[in-house]
Amino acid sequence: MTVLRDFKGPAGCRSELVIGREEPSAAAREQLGRGGSVLLHGPAGIGKSTVLRALAAEYAPAARTVLRCSATESESHLPFLALADLFGLVLQEVAGELPAAQRTALESALTGRGESTLQRDGLALRLAVLSTLRVLAARGPVLIVADDLQWLDPASAELLGFAARRLGGTPVRMLCAVRTEDEDYGRHLRSPALGFTRAGGPPCPPDTLSVRLGPLTRAQVSALLDHRGHTGLPRSTVREIHRTSGGNPLFALELGRALAESTARPRPGEPLPVPTSLRALVLSRLEMLSEEARRTLLVASAGARPTPALLHAAGRENAEAECAQAAGLGLLATEPEGPAVRFAHPLISAALYAEAPARERRAVHAALSTAASDPIERARHLALATTGTDPEVAARLAEAAALARDRGAPSVAASLGLLAARHTPADGEPGPDERRLLAAEDAITAGEVDLARDIARDVLTRAALPAQRVRAWMVVVEAAGQALGDVDAVFPQALADAGDDPGLLAQVHYQLAWRALVVEGDFGEARQEAAHAAELAARGRDRRTELMALAFRASTETLMGHPDAPTTIKRAMKEPQDPYVACHHNGVGAARYRWLLMSDQLGEARATITALLREVRRRGMVESEVHYLRLLAETELRAGHCGRALDLARESLRLARDTGIGEGASAMLACFAEASGGDTERALALAREAVRLAEEDGDQMYLSRALAALGYAQFVSGDARATVGTLRRVRELELGLGITDPARGRWHGDLAEALVLVGEPGEAQQVIDTAREHALRLGRESVLAVLDRSEALVRAAHDDTEAAVARLTSAQDRLAKLGNGLEEARAAFALARLRTRRPGPTSYDEAARLFRRCRALPWLRRVDAATVARPAQPEPEVAPAALDGLAAMERQVAALVMEGATNREIAGRLFVSVKTVEATLTRVYRKLGIRSRVDIVRLAAGRRAK
């Protein structure tokens, strides 16, 4: 397909921001950084020129000479034009250093005087180009930037190819871009014959790195649209833009621009409008089709999964031959694995459909409404073939929506529900607004919160019935997610609409319970509101809301460490149950999972969350899927399966960002997973993102979790002081929230250990004592074991090494029995570090083995650092008489001073705080009658001189 070279986005919106190209850009940077050449390739509109400009801007300052050219299709027949673009400005600079014959041939080619040709001056021209590049390279690095190589005139291409093959170690780099449709274009670069022809490789050096730019993901398309000013598009629309564009950034931007300029949005189930600028890319080929073949392709474009059989059933008798004609023109792709008719690019299908008259589209949908085998597909085509209201069509669409809901396709159900509402008469039963609200609830389930909110707001403009108005308000609240503070004005209106109806009031008070928790951070009030909502729902015979409220109360009590939690969970699990509530991420199944996890029942917790995840995927409950992926990752992390946890956490984060659901919570858990099994820098960035999102949403509950994640990442990265500052804030937040169960955040051990490292063992002991009191009350065995590990380090800081070792050994054994693999490994690591204080060899092998078993890469790096920091060498010889009065800790500190270690290095190697080292040195000075570190070294030197 052909794209005009001047095809640009809206004025004022052009930017060199490269979205979604981190991986290919990194590979290109690495190649350019070591002096190599790079060829970017991919289809039209994929972003090659944008990446080329960004890389050129980054690497041009390091080159003495930058040569640029950008070919065009209209000028590709002009010989030596690209050569003139490249060398025209430097010819005078190098002309004096070229042999006369080469200079004459090159000047003739660049200026057009003398009618130089490759046939007549071939060798002289080839050598002239090579010599010019060598002369320039002798003065400093050269960067050649060439865009749209596919339009390079053959003469320039041949000359550049000749030179590129002979530059060898000359500091000349090439950064080029070429349009290709072949995904394996790199094979051209590996071809022995690199001379450029239309079917051969580009004029690049033999070691050129081929970098293919592929389609953007949906999240990247969304970011690109936002960057270019097309903000506020519903996620369902962004998803359709991504599908229609095939992830091509140019196509996506044009589709977004067309939507922004259009006054009428497409009806549910209809493709996006395709702007004229994009239609021109494919309609030229469509004009080459016969009229019958074009009609066959129109039927295929309207079908969800077109096959030759479907086309036959829709009246296209010669479908195979007409599809073969389209495939020959590159409009259809062959499907070796099945009989499906697939367009070469989604844009072809969309442009074909957009170009067809409305009457012809309706005729196609009418044919497909009887030809399609799937009842959902038949109903959709019937709706698109029908104008105006029709109760029979509306009923069939409502049935199809229910079937889609049962199949686990709530997004499809929402689309069909809106079509049903459109065709429902105003006096129908159920009415159009009733069907719109059901579609909005399906959209919430599917994660299409923008669509759901828009539907609900639309219903509220005319609905008069209290039940409909309250139901619509609840959709608005649900669509707000964690940002419940943004919909504060909704609650008084919803309460007014509910009146004294206990069933309606129950729905509002259930959401008020969430507001108390998320916005106010008041667990006590949240618990009371949930209990009130459950009572109202029981009176109103609304079992679903009653169960949701009981599940919320159980979760709140579990997090608070309230003794009623097990009883409330049993109440929530009584029959009759609601299948939706049973698997919802705020339902009884999730509440029971949290209680199991906090009670150290890891095996049962894993089985529970795995079953819940499987069920919500079957039902298409996207929001619940995001949260359950995160919770399963948390379970695997507790079990010490860091690699598995990292994969799950990243999957949850990708889905959260793609849908805009639970981004803060997923970023928080991804931080824990990265800090345990991935990259600590990425963990820190994710934690800060989670903190920012929680603060923006005013979400006090997740703010404490996000800060706890940040503190853990800081601890793993070795920044004890930052850890203390962050986790002290968590302590204050949870105290204000009324959270007393230390199993909720599990940050207490990290805070205590960081406090020891910064010289605050007294405060560390206070943290341990407070957490231990609640852990004993609630029977949190793994928390107690971790607290014992932390207290061992407090004891070591007070020189009670023997007691510390004994406590650590016990903690490690208990954590192993509980299946907490990572905490077990951390105990082994602490034990190895403490044993360095005692005479004899110390091995980190056990800690390394356990961390390897967990795939805890950041912790393994800490083990490696500790091993390097303590080389196997004898302690310096010290005068026995002088050191007889020193304790073991004092002798070890003195020995390390003699090695030249600083106080901070000594603290790290002995796993104590800097203040402890300073205090120990003060005692050493006093006992030995000396004043400084220098005197210790002199004392040792005097002993060796004897």
Side-chain angles (χ1 to χ4, degrees):
M1 65 182 63
T2 302
V3 176
L4 296 177
R5 184 169 174 268
D6 295 332
F7 198 92
K8 297 179 180 179
C13 289
R14 295 192 62 75
S15 168
E16 294 309 314
L17 176 67
V18 180
I19 292 174
R21 300 303 184 198
E22 294 79 6
E23 187 174 338
S25 294
R29 285 191 182 93
E30 184 179 349
Q31 174 77 351
L32 291 168
R34 56 174 175 254
S37 295
V38 170
L39 176 71
L40 305 169
H41 68 98
I46 204 66
K48 302 179 297 297
S49 296
T50 301
V51 176
L52 184 86
R53 287 193 296 268
L55 291 171
E58 184 175 345
Y59 285 93
R64 180 188 180 276
T65 305
V66 180
L67 307 175
R68 300 175 185 270
C69 74
S70 183
T72 64
E73 183 178 12
S74 61
E75 299 169 343
S76 61
H77 66 285
L78 300 174
F80 306 120
L81 185 62
L83 206 66
D85 287 343
L86 289 170
F87 294 152
L89 296 178
V90 298
L91 180 59
Q92 295 303 315
E93 179 184 344
V94 302
E97 300 185 41
L98 298 179
Q102 294 180 24
R103 181 173 64 249
T104 300
L106 186 58
E107 287 175 345
S108 177
L110 298 188
T111 62
R113 294 190 297 271
E115 297 183 356
S116 177
T117 66
L118 278 176
Q119 287 73 23
R120 192 182 68 186
D121 302 317
L123 182 58
L125 271 174
R126 290 175 175 86
L127 293 175
V129 171
L130 180 60
S131 297
T132 298
L133 290 174
R134 284 175 173 165
V135 169
L136 292 172
R139 299 172 183 176
V142 177
L143 176 64
I144 299 175
V145 181
D147 200 2
D148 284 319
L149 288 185
Q150 72 276 3
W151 305 130
L152 209 64
D153 65 274
S156 296
E158 203 283 335
L159 292 170
L160 287 173
F162 175 86
R165 293 191 294 273
R166 289 163 176 80
L167 286 171
T170 307
V172 176
R173 289 178 294 181
M174 298 186 73
L175 175 57
C176 307
V178 62
R179 183 188 305 174
T180 63
E181 299 299 332
D182 183 0
E183 293 191 8
D184 192 27
Y185 189 69
R187 62 188 169 85
H188 295 299
L189 292 177
R190 297 187 290 272
S191 171
L194 285 171
F196 185 77
T197 65
R198 289 292 179 225
C204 299
D207 62 345
T208 297
L209 174 68
S210 168
V211 177
R212 179 171 179 83
L213 299 183
L216 299 180
T217 66
R218 186 166 63 181
Q220 290 163 350
V221 165
S222 178
L224 180 64
L225 291 167
D226 287 345
H227 173 64
R228 290 298 182 89
H230 304 310
T231 57
L233 294 173
R235 292 188 181 277
S236 55
T237 301
V238 173
R239 182 180 63 220
E240 189 62 20
I241 289 175
H242 177 258
R243 188 197 66 79
T244 303
S245 68
N248 185 298
L250 173 64
F251 300 168
L253 287 172
E254 282 300 291
L255 290 167
R257 181 181 61 78
L259 277 173
E261 294 174 355
S262 174
T263 56
R265 295 293 172 88
R267 295 168 58 188
E270 286 187 341
L272 294 175
V274 179
T276 304
S277 57
L278 293 186
R279 292 188 203 182
L281 298 176
V282 297
L283 290 182
S284 59
R285 277 187 279 173
L286 289 172
E287 291 172 357
M288 301 171 67
L289 285 173
S290 67
E291 182 62 23
E292 291 301 312
R294 191 193 64 79
R295 288 178 181 171
T296 295
L297 258 63
L298 179 60
V299 175
S301 72
R305 293 173 297 277
T307 63
L310 177 66
L311 297 177
H312 277 295
R316 307 310 302 165
E317 297 178 356
N318 299 314
E320 286 86 350
E322 289 156 358
C323 286
Q325 181 188 354
L329 293 172
L331 295 167
L332 294 180
T334 57
E335 284 284 358
E337 297 179 1
V341 176
R342 185 171 67 84
F343 285 88
H345 192 283
L347 185 63
I348 299 173
S349 172
L352 176 64
Y353 187 91
E355 193 70 10
R359 176 180 51 80
E360 193 172 349
R361 291 188 209 171
R362 287 196 296 272
V364 165
H365 286 298
L368 287 170
S369 69
T370 58
S373 60
D374 184 82
I376 292 176
E377 192 66 11
R378 286 199 301 270
R380 185 179 74 87
H381 287 300
L382 180 62
L384 295 174
T386 305
T387 57
T389 60
D390 186 319
E392 183 179 344
V393 171
R396 285 187 57 183
L397 285 164
E399 292 171 1
L403 181 58
R405 199 175 301 119
D406 290 342
R407 289 182 181 178
S411 181
V412 175
S415 176
L416 292 167
L418 288 176
L419 285 171
R422 180 185 292 271
H423 291 286
T424 300
D427 58 352
E429 184 60 40
D433 281 342
E434 194 73 18
R435 283 177 167 154
R436 287 189 182 94
L437 287 171
L438 184 56
E441 290 162 353
D442 284 330
I444 287 285
T445 301
E448 304 284 357
V449 292
D450 296 331
L451 175 62
R453 180 176 54 247
D454 291 346
I455 296 170
R457 293 287 187 187
D458 176 55
V459 170
L460 285 166
T461 61
R462 58 181 173 272
L465 294 175
Q468 285 188 352
R469 292 189 62 81
V470 170
R471 191 174 171 188
W473 287 127
M474 294 304 96
V475 169
V476 173
V477 172
E478 287 279 359
Q482 299 296 110
L484 288 176
D486 293 348
V487 291
D488 267 348
V490 166
F491 292 104
Q493 299 177 73
L495 286 169
D497 285 331
D500 58 0
D501 186 315
L504 298 180
L505 286 169
Q507 296 177 45
V508 182
H509 280 280
Y510 172 70
Q511 294 295 349
L512 282 170
W514 275 105
R515 185 196 176 279
L517 183 62
V518 172
V519 179
E520 302 297 335
D522 191 332
F523 273 72
E525 183 183 349
R527 176 176 176 267
Q528 291 176 6
E529 283 283 7
H532 186 39
E535 292 170 5
L536 287 168
R539 283 166 45 198
R541 297 186 178 181
D542 181 354
R543 182 61 173 165
R544 174 169 292 189
T545 301
E546 181 187 7
L547 288 170
M548 291 293 287
L550 285 171
F552 178 83
R553 177 182 169 184
S555 295
T556 305
E557 290 172 346
T558 299
L559 296 174
M560 292 172 67
H562 196 285
D564 287 352
T567 303
T568 306
I569 290 174
K570 289 180 182 177
R571 280 186 61 194
M573 294 181 69
K574 286 183 178 178
E575 297 294 337
Q577 281 295 312
D578 183 305
Y580 174 83
V581 176
C583 66
H584 192 277
H585 62 278
N586 290 322
V588 62
R592 181 171 177 272
Y593 158 79
R594 292 187 186 94
W595 185 82
L596 289 168
L597 186 71
M598 294 172 69
S599 301
D600 295 310
Q601 300 181 53
L602 284 183
E604 195 169 351
R606 181 188 289 107
T608 299
I609 199 67
T610 301
L612 288 170
L613 177 59
R614 183 167 55 248
E615 178 62 14
V616 298
R617 279 176 165 166
R618 187 188 71 81
R619 289 172 171 267
M621 298 169 67
V622 177
E623 183 174 7
S624 293
E625 181 181 358
V626 170
H627 290 294
Y628 285 156
L629 281 168
R630 173 175 58 82
L631 296 177
L632 182 55
E634 183 176 1
T635 308
E636 298 295 356
L637 204 57
R638 283 279 306 281
H641 304 152
C642 298
R644 170 71 171 148
L646 187 58
D647 291 342
L648 288 164
R650 287 173 175 172
E651 184 180 355
S652 173
L653 186 59
R654 280 194 299 269
L655 187 57
R657 286 176 171 165
D658 197 27
T659 60
I661 296 171
E663 292 182 77
S666 292
M668 174 271 296
L669 202 282
C671 164
F672 277 113
E674 290 284 353
S676 299
D679 178 79
T680 52
E681 288 302 315
R682 178 168 169 76
L684 290 166
L686 286 166
R688 295 186 181 105
E689 177 187 350
V691 170
R692 175 181 58 79
L693 290 171
E695 289 176 336
E696 288 175 357
D697 290 343
D699 188 338
Q700 297 298 302
M701 182 173 66
Y702 269 119
L703 178 57
S704 68
R705 293 295 314 272
L707 286 168
L710 176 59
Y712 175 70
Q714 289 167 334
F715 185 82
V716 177
S717 64
D719 192 344
R721 194 162 298 280
T723 303
V724 168
T726 300
L727 295 183
R728 278 174 174 165
R729 187 180 172 194
V730 176
R731 180 175 58 185
E732 294 170 5
L733 275 171
E734 294 204 351
L735 185 63
L737 289 168
I739 297 173
T740 60
D741 192 338
R744 188 251 182 180
R746 296 177 178 270
W747 48 266
H748 310 77
D750 293 334
L751 175 55
E753 293 176 26
L755 284 166
V756 169
L757 290 174
V758 300
E760 298 289 348
E763 184 182 348
Q765 189 63 54
Q766 291 174 5
V767 170
I768 293 166
D769 291 343
T770 302
R772 180 179 282 129
E773 179 183 351
H774 294 295
L776 285 168
R777 173 176 60 85
L778 297 166
R780 306 302 192 217
E781 292 298 327
S782 63
V783 173
L784 289 168
V786 168
L787 293 173
D788 279 354
R789 184 188 70 205
S790 304
E791 187 170 11
L793 303 181
V794 173
R795 296 197 176 205
H798 291 302
D799 293 337
D800 192 358
T801 306
E802 295 301 325
V805 168
R807 190 168 288 258
L808 270 175
T809 303
S810 171
Q812 181 182 343
D813 290 343
R814 287 150 54 205
L815 289 165
K817 290 176 182 176
L818 290 167
N820 288 34
L822 184 58
E823 299 292 2
E824 175 196 358
R826 287 182 61 179
F829 183 37
L831 189 59
R833 299 191 73 166
L834 281 186
R835 282 173 173 159
T836 62
R837 298 181 175 193
R838 302 192 298 186
T842 299
S843 173
Y844 287 93
D845 290 350
E846 174 69 1
R849 180 185 69 81
L850 292 173
F851 282 133
R852 274 195 299 271
R853 185 182 68 182
C854 294
R855 287 185 58 192
L857 302 182
W859 285 102
L860 270 172
R861 286 190 282 272
R862 291 194 63 173
V863 171
D864 291 341
T867 304
V868 171
R870 189 179 186 277
Q873 60 183 25
E875 293 187 6
E877 188 179 357
V878 184
L883 300 186
D884 277 348
L886 297 182
M889 177 69 166
E890 294 165 350
R891 287 177 62 90
Q892 199 161 17
V893 169
L896 290 170
V897 167
M898 294 173 195
E899 293 180 14
T902 65
N903 286 3
R904 184 169 296 279
E905 289 169 343
I906 294 171
R909 288 166 68 172
L910 297 183
F911 204 37
V912 296
S913 69
V914 174
K915 286 189 176 181
T916 299
V917 174
E918 292 169 349
T920 302
L921 277 174
T922 299
R923 293 197 300 273
V924 169
Y925 299 157
R926 185 176 64 251
K927 290 182 178 181
L928 297 181
I930 58 179
R931 296 183 178 181
S932 68
R933 298 165 60 94
V934 175
D935 291 334
I936 295 179
V937 176
R938 287 173 178 166
L939 180 62
R943 170 63 180 162
R944 293 188 190 104
K946 292 181 181 179

